[in-house]
Amino acid sequence: MIPEAPGVSADLSIFTLFWQAHWVVKLVMTGLLACSVWVWAIAIDKFLLLHRTRTAMNRFEQAFWSGQSLEELYRSLAQRPNHSMAALFVAAMREWKRSFEGSTRSFAGLQMRIDKVMDVTISREVERLERRLLVLATVGSASPFVGLFGTVWGIMNSFQSIAASKNTSLAVVAPGIAEALFATAIGLVAAIPATIFYNKFSSEVNKQASRLEGFADEFSAILSRQIDERA
């Protein structure tokens, strides 16, 4: 049995690994843990936002295609469009009403103006849905390398311990190696969920953007027919 080297702790618990780590490795671990918490906070917020938006879109489409008057639907949503598709509908209807309810009716370029308004609204809403996704992408790609930096630093400290004690026993090397690997593990704990969440939410945002674009095309066709009738 190999005797334990003097002055070396045999306790390799998570708390001890963190507490006895070099201050640089501690800084890396603390930063990665903060990033991990930030990732989960963003994920929860984004999950709730996308769920609310998807549910509101379903309700709006059901009301829109139920045969309800567009004027009634506009009046109910004009003051506060509370989701992406409602904002798209209100923006198009507002441009429509400006052209038909002003002192002079302007048919020229109305279809183009409505399409432009809807394109701008879609871009704005997609940008709102994508907010903070870049943080997930950054954490997912950078955290393993940050953890690797902590690993390299911990291994350097292990070799310095060997040189200082002139003892190559496992008891001398093990704590530093464990600290180094712990930094790598925390980096992966932050990176893996961030990458998964980024891919999931990006896919969901793309789906909702496609729904908005599809509705914009259908609504544009409806307004185009009404423009032709009134012109």
Side-chain angles (χ1 to χ4, degrees):
M1 182 176 180
I2 301 176
E4 182 181 334
V8 177
S9 173
D11 186 5
L12 296 180
S13 64
I14 291 177
F15 177 78
T16 302
L17 289 177
F18 175 81
W19 190 254
Q20 293 182 352
H22 190 272
W23 70 268
V24 174
V25 182
K26 281 182 183 178
L27 185 62
V28 169
M29 292 180 182
T30 303
L32 290 173
L33 288 173
C35 287
S36 181
V37 173
W38 194 11
V39 163
W40 281 98
I42 292 173
I44 293 172
D45 176 72
K46 195 63 64 178
F47 176 82
L48 296 175
L49 172 63
L50 293 173
H51 177 72
R52 287 196 306 267
T53 304
R54 184 171 57 250
T55 303
M57 282 185 178
N58 293 336
R59 286 200 303 264
F60 174 82
E61 286 189 319
Q62 184 177 4
F64 182 84
W65 297 111
S66 66
Q68 181 182 359
S69 168
L70 294 182
E71 291 291 338
E72 293 179 3
L73 188 59
Y74 173 73
R75 283 195 294 269
S76 65
L77 296 173
Q79 297 301 322
R80 194 183 63 169
N82 55 1
H83 60 89
S84 302
M85 197 168 286
L88 179 63
F89 170 77
V90 168
M93 286 295 294
R94 186 174 290 131
E95 183 61 33
W96 167 274
K97 295 176 76 66
R98 282 182 189 146
S99 299
F100 281 98
E101 296 182 356
S103 56
T104 58
R105 297 189 175 188
S106 173
F107 295 99
L110 176 56
Q111 184 69 49
M112 185 180 298
R113 291 197 301 273
I114 290 174
D115 290 341
K116 192 67 175 178
V117 165
M118 288 195 291
D119 289 341
V120 172
T121 304
I122 290 174
S123 298
R124 186 182 301 119
E125 292 301 319
V126 170
E127 182 180 357
R128 181 179 67 88
L129 294 175
E130 288 180 336
R131 194 172 301 153
R132 290 191 296 273
L133 285 185
L134 183 60
V135 175
L136 299 182
T138 303
V139 173
S141 60
S143 291
F145 296 102
V146 176
L148 182 61
F149 170 75
T151 299
V152 172
W153 199 275
I155 292 175
M156 287 171 55
N157 287 333
S158 297
F159 284 117
Q160 290 174 356
S161 299
I162 293 174
S165 63
K166 297 181 181 180
N167 187 348
T168 59
S169 69
L170 185 62
V172 174
V173 181
I177 298 296
E179 294 166 10
L181 296 178
F182 187 41
T184 302
I186 295 178
L188 295 177
V189 166
I192 292 173
T195 303
I196 293 173
F197 289 141
Y198 175 77
N199 292 332
K200 175 179 174 54
F201 294 142
S202 294
S203 175
E204 183 65 25
V205 169
N206 290 335
K207 289 179 182 178
Q208 296 198 10
S210 297
R211 287 186 67 179
L212 290 175
E213 292 171 357
F215 173 76
D217 291 339
E218 291 175 327
F219 191 40
S220 177
I222 293 173
L223 295 181
S224 178
R225 285 194 296 269
Q226 295 197 17
I227 291 171
D228 292 341
E229 292 173 0
R230 299 195 182 194

